[in-house]
Amino acid sequence: MRSLLTLAETTGDVEGGLRAVGYGLAAIGPGIGIGTLVGQSVQAMARQPEMAGQVRTTMFLGIAFAEALALIGFVVTFL
Amino acid sequence: MSDSTMFAPVAGAHDRIEVTIARDIAKHAVYVAPAVVVIAAIVEGSGGALGALCALAVVSVNFLVAASALGWAARISTGALLGAALLSFVVRLAVITVLGLAVKQVDAVHFATFCIVLVAAHLGLLFWEMRHVSLTLAYPGLKPTADQLSADTNKEQA
């Protein structure tokens, strides 16, 4: 934390630096979520190829919902 | 999972299901845009209206780009689908961030309205779209209209 503050102070914008770090942290969760979601969907499509259409529909909506978390992170960080 | 499965195209990839869903979402965004812009204009003036319009455009384009990337990758292989999903997430998020910061610098656009409409439209349009999704083997994307159903029935009978 101290090194982050030092970094932010060096750049001359402590608040902006911390906001950027917070946004980066907020994007980790959706990234993990999308990775898990797509991985499981690919596995499902490999096991049951005839269900690929339904799996892709659900996967696309799931990705969009996980992405909403990242957008909320952006809004909370920069608002 | 074997290599043959990993590098084989996704079954039914020619259906472009994601693109159909994203287009439907964009269509809904066009429907609600006038109401959202008018409400934003009443609350925050012309800056609010511009912010709401920008946010709706960003959300719609984001859905369309995500769908195009996933649909394109599904035609190649399941491995490409994995890569495209994660890479497009990072790239789209970076683009949205840059656009958001650019909007923040423009005085003519109300940034708070942009942010609120961005999240609200993304979630609202998704929940709206969920009502139109059908998860059946015959129609894995959107629910068919009455005309489509009768046309399919006629085909089967013929």
Side-chain angles (χ1 to χ4, degrees):
Chain A
M1 193 64 197
R2 193 175 175 79
S3 57
L4 286 176
L5 283 171
T6 310
L7 179 70
E9 280 167 3
T10 311
T11 56
D13 183 11
V14 179
E15 200 184 322
L18 287 176
R19 278 173 185 233
V21 171
Y23 182 38
L25 291 174
I28 290 175
I32 293 171
I34 288 174
T36 308
L37 195 152
V38 179
Q40 297 291 332
S41 300
V42 166
Q43 200 171 43
M45 285 185 266
R47 285 177 190 272
Q48 288 184 290
E50 72 277 8
M51 300 290 281
Q54 293 177 52
V55 172
R56 278 168 64 194
T57 304
T58 318
M59 183 187 78
F60 182 66
L61 293 176
I63 288 173
F65 273 113
E67 208 175 291
L69 290 175
L71 289 181
I72 290 169
F74 166 75
V75 167
V76 169
T77 305
F78 291 104
L79 199 62
Chain B
M1 201 175 352
S2 67
D3 281 355
S4 60
T5 313
M6 191 69 181
F7 297 110
V10 177
H14 57 280
D15 295 329
R16 296 175 64 81
I17 294 165
E18 295 92 352
V19 176
T20 313
I21 293 172
R23 275 188 190 155
D24 203 48
I25 291 174
K27 200 170 69 181
H28 290 161
V30 171
Y31 292 161
V32 297
V36 173
V37 169
V38 166
I39 291 168
I42 291 168
V43 176
E44 287 295 342
S46 60
L50 268 175
L53 204 61
C54 289
L56 281 170
V58 167
V59 167
S60 302
V61 172
N62 183 37
F63 278 127
L64 289 169
V65 170
S68 300
L70 291 177
W72 168 77
R75 284 202 299 275
I76 299 172
S77 71
T78 46
L81 191 65
L82 269 169
L86 282 175
L87 195 68
S88 80
F89 167 68
V90 173
V91 170
R92 282 181 291 115
L93 203 60
V95 170
I96 288 173
T97 306
V98 169
L99 280 174
L101 292 176
V103 164
K104 197 176 181 182
Q105 301 301 318
V106 180
D107 291 334
V109 181
H110 195 252
F111 185 63
T113 310
F114 171 81
C115 288
I116 291 165
V117 174
L118 188 75
V119 173
H122 189 93
L123 284 173
L125 289 171
L126 264 179
F127 276 110
W128 191 1
E129 188 60 23
M130 278 174 66
R131 296 179 58 202
H132 296 271
V133 167
S134 146
L135 291 177
T136 60
L137 274 178
Y139 302 100
L142 295 177
K143 281 177 189 166
T145 58
D147 293 341
Q148 283 173 324
L149 274 176
S150 62
D152 287 351
T153 313
N154 290 340
K155 257 187 212 171
E156 281 172 17
Q157 285 172 350

